[in-house]
Amino acid sequence: MMKPSSSTPSSLLLCLCSLLLLVRGVHSLQADIDPDAYRTFTQIVQSKGYPCEEHFVTTYDGYILRLFRIPSGRNNTFVDSVFSENEMAANSSRVVFLQHGLLDSSFTWILNEPNESLSYILADAGYDVWMGNNRGNTYSKNHTKYSPSDHEFWQFSWDEMAWYDFPNMIDYVLSYTNSSKLAYIGHSEGTIQAFSGLVVTPGIADKLSIYIGYGPVATVSHIGNIPLKSLADFHVDTFVHLFGMDQFMPTPTQLKGLFVDFCNDCGTCCEDVIEAICGPHKAAFNESRMPVMASHEPGGTSVQNMQHWCQAIRDGRFQMYDYGLLGNMEHYHQDTPPVYDLTKFPPQLPVALFSGSLGDLANPTDVNMLIAQLPNVVYWEEIPLYAHLDFCWDYTANQNLYPKTIKFLKQYHS
C-alpha cells in the first residue's frame, strides 16, 4: 500500500488559495514584496534596529529548542521605558517570556511593525524579551538522537511541551540572565502547556512573577474552529496517525513561494484563507504584512499533537494524551489518561487572562469554565469581536491590549 504523502495539508491549502483567487477574479500585477518575506527571524529583528540573540535549550528528553532574545530596545536603548533611570539601574528582574500558540512559532511576536508587535513594544519599554519555540516547529527541529525524518522524533503532544519544553526553557532563561523570576505570557497552546505544566510541577510557579494568558485554553469541548472540529468529529486525526504520517502542516520553506506570491497578489484573499483555517476575526490585520506572514507560517507540529487536541474536543476533558487501553496501561498504569486537576494549580501565582468574544479555539464557554477553577485570577477581560489570532496579529492591539499587559507587568514584575 502506498504511504500517503505528508504534504496532504499543503495540497488542500493550495486548492483553497486557487479557488479564492478564481472567485475574486484576481489578475493584478505583482507588487513589490516586503523584503522581510525573505529574511530570517534574526534578520527581521535586526533590520528594525533591535539587537537579537539566538539561544538553544536541550530538554530532558533530548529536543533542542531555539529561543530568540531581544535584550534591549531599538538601537540598544529603551525609548519608551516604563522604568525610571534608578529603577533601570537597580532592577534585574525585567525578563519577559513569550510563548506562541498552536501551529505557530516565535515569529508571531514580530509579524507586525515595531510599534505594533508585542516583542518590540516590551523591549522599548525596558524589558528583556525572550521568545520560545516548542518542539517540532520551524525553529525547533533538532534532537540529540533523532532527526525529523525519524518516526520517533514526532512522538509528542502538548503533554511533553508542558512537562519538558515549558520548565526547561524557563530554567535556561533564568540561569542565563541570573534572574530569580520572569513574567510569562502565553498565547493559545502556550497557555495550555502552562496550565498543565503548573499542575504537574507546581514549583514552577515560584519562578514566575505573573502568568498572562492570551486566548487561554484548557478544555475545548465548545470549540468553534470548523477545520479542527471536523478533524475531531470525523476522526481524521486517528486515520492519519494510523497511516504513519508524523508531521502536521509543512514547514514554511515548502510553501514559501506559493503563499508569498498569493498573499502579495491579494492580501484580502490571504486573510480569507486564514479565516477559513483559523476562524473569523473582526480585528485589524495588516494586509501589507501578509506576504511576510506567508513566508514564516505555519510553524508546524506533530500529528500526535493534533490528535491530542482532537481527543480533547471529542472527550471534553483536560487530560493527557490517550494511547488507547494498552498504551495507557503502559504509560500511565491505568486504562484511561490522567486528568489535569486545576484544583492543584498553584494559588500563589497571579493570573491575568484576555479572551475574545469570537474565540473559536478559546471559546467563551470554555474560558468561563477555566476561570471558575483557577484560584488567583487577578484580572480577566473578554475583548469584544476578538478572535484567536487577534491577540498577536491585530495591529491595533498596541492600543487595546498591550498597554494593559504592560500595566500588569509593572504591577507584578518590578
Side-chain angles (χ1 to χ4, degrees):
M1 180 182 297
M2 182 178 294
K3 182 179 179 180
S5 169
S6 60
S7 62
T8 299
S10 65
S11 300
L12 296 175
L13 290 177
L14 173 58
C15 292
L16 184 56
C17 294
S18 302
L19 178 61
L20 282 168
L21 282 172
L22 288 172
V23 169
R24 289 184 174 274
V26 176
H27 300 290
S28 64
L29 292 174
Q30 191 177 72
D32 291 338
I33 296 177
D34 190 316
D36 283 351
Y38 301 106
R39 288 173 174 149
T40 65
F41 185 105
T42 299
Q43 289 170 341
I44 291 175
V45 174
Q46 291 176 340
S47 72
K48 312 304 178 189
Y50 293 81
C52 186
E53 300 172 4
E54 297 185 23
H55 294 257
F56 295 90
V57 178
T58 301
T59 65
Y60 297 138
D61 58 343
Y63 285 84
I64 302 172
L65 313 178
R66 184 180 303 187
L67 277 59
F68 292 98
R69 180 193 190 194
I70 304 178
S72 64
R74 188 177 299 191
N75 299 319
N76 291 300
T77 62
F78 300 101
V79 293
D80 297 314
S81 179
V82 296
F83 301 102
S84 67
E85 290 186 10
N86 289 336
E87 286 176 318
M88 289 291 291
N91 182 15
S92 62
S93 182
R94 298 193 310 273
V95 179
V96 179
F97 191 91
L98 310 180
Q99 186 59 32
H100 63 79
L102 177 62
L103 291 172
D104 209 344
S105 72
S106 56
F107 171 77
T108 199
W109 306 110
I110 65 165
L111 167 63
N112 288 321
E113 297 297 337
N115 66 326
E116 301 163 348
S117 295
L118 180 61
S119 60
Y120 299 126
I121 291 171
L122 291 178
D124 284 334
Y127 292 99
D128 183 357
V129 182
W130 292 72
M131 291 157 279
N133 284 288
N134 283 326
R135 60 186 61 200
N137 84 354
T138 304
Y139 301 110
S140 296
K141 285 191 173 178
N142 288 297
H143 192 280
T144 56
K145 183 178 180 181
Y146 305 115
S147 75
S149 61
D150 295 321
H151 173 71
E152 292 82 1
F153 180 90
W154 299 102
Q155 303 312 294
F156 64 82
S157 75
W158 51 262
D159 281 336
E160 286 76 16
M161 298 174 192
W163 304 340
Y164 306 117
D165 298 3
F166 176 59
N168 290 171
M169 289 189 291
I170 289 174
D171 285 345
Y172 176 89
V173 172
L174 290 178
S175 175
Y176 189 88
T177 59
N178 194 30
S179 302
S180 59
K181 290 191 176 187
L182 58 78
Y184 181 88
I185 301 177
H187 172 239
S188 177
E189 188 173 72
T191 67
I192 199 170
Q193 70 187 95
F195 287 128
S196 48
L198 285 160
V199 165
V200 171
T201 313
I204 299 174
D206 296 331
K207 303 173 184 179
L208 307 180
S209 58
I210 185 172
Y211 166 23
I212 299 175
Y214 293 164
V217 184
T219 58
V220 286
S221 55
H222 297 86
I223 188 172
N225 184 291
I226 294 176
L228 192 52
K229 191 174 188 303
S230 298
L231 285 176
D233 289 345
F234 294 102
H235 287 262
V236 175
D237 58 298
T238 305
F239 289 110
V240 167
H241 194 67
L242 288 173
F243 276 110
M245 291 176 62
D246 293 319
Q247 183 179 7
F248 188 86
M249 298 298 284
T251 60
T253 53
Q254 292 171 295
L255 285 179
K256 182 180 290 188
L258 165 68
F259 283 129
V260 168
D261 291 343
F262 171 74
C263 291
N264 196 55
D265 281 341
C266 183
T268 305
C269 300
C270 195
E271 289 191 33
D272 288 344
V273 173
I274 294 171
E275 288 205 2
I277 298 171
C278 303
H281 74 93
K282 298 298 181 183
F285 279 4
N286 189 340
E287 285 190 17
S288 67
R289 296 293 289 178
M290 288 298 98
V292 181
M293 177 280 299
S295 69
H296 292 85
E297 300 280 8
T301 189
S302 69
V303 167
Q304 182 168 311
N305 186 39
M306 296 306 299
Q307 189 175 29
H308 195 175
W309 281 98
C310 290
Q311 290 173 356
I313 295 170
R314 290 191 291 264
D315 299 335
R317 292 186 292 273
F318 184 30
Q319 65 183 22
M320 298 178 189
Y321 180 80
D322 190 345
Y323 289 93
L325 178 60
L326 296 179
N328 289 338
M329 292 300 298
E330 178 183 353
H331 285 84
Y332 311 126
H333 306 293
Q334 59 185 58
D335 57 0
T336 58
V339 172
Y340 288 106
D341 184 359
L342 284 170
T343 64
K344 297 180 179 178
F345 189 89
Q348 73 273 25
L349 178 62
V351 177
L353 300 177
F354 296 87
S355 58
S357 64
L358 296 179
D360 50 355
L361 187 58
N363 180 274
T365 301
D366 285 317
V367 173
N368 273 278
M369 293 168 56
L370 166 65
I371 290 171
Q373 300 177 74
L374 294 173
N376 191 16
V377 178
V378 297
Y379 184 82
W380 169 45
E381 179 180 351
E382 184 181 276
I383 303 176
L385 302 180
Y386 243 45
H388 202 60
L389 289 177
D390 294 326
F391 302 95
C392 302
W393 290 15
D394 171 23
Y395 66 78
T396 65
N398 61 351
Q399 303 167 29
N400 56 23
L401 174 60
Y402 300 157
K404 297 173 185 176
T405 299
I406 292 177
K407 182 189 77 171
F408 286 110
L409 291 177
K410 191 79 166 77
Q411 180 177 353
Y412 291 96
H413 188 57
S414 60

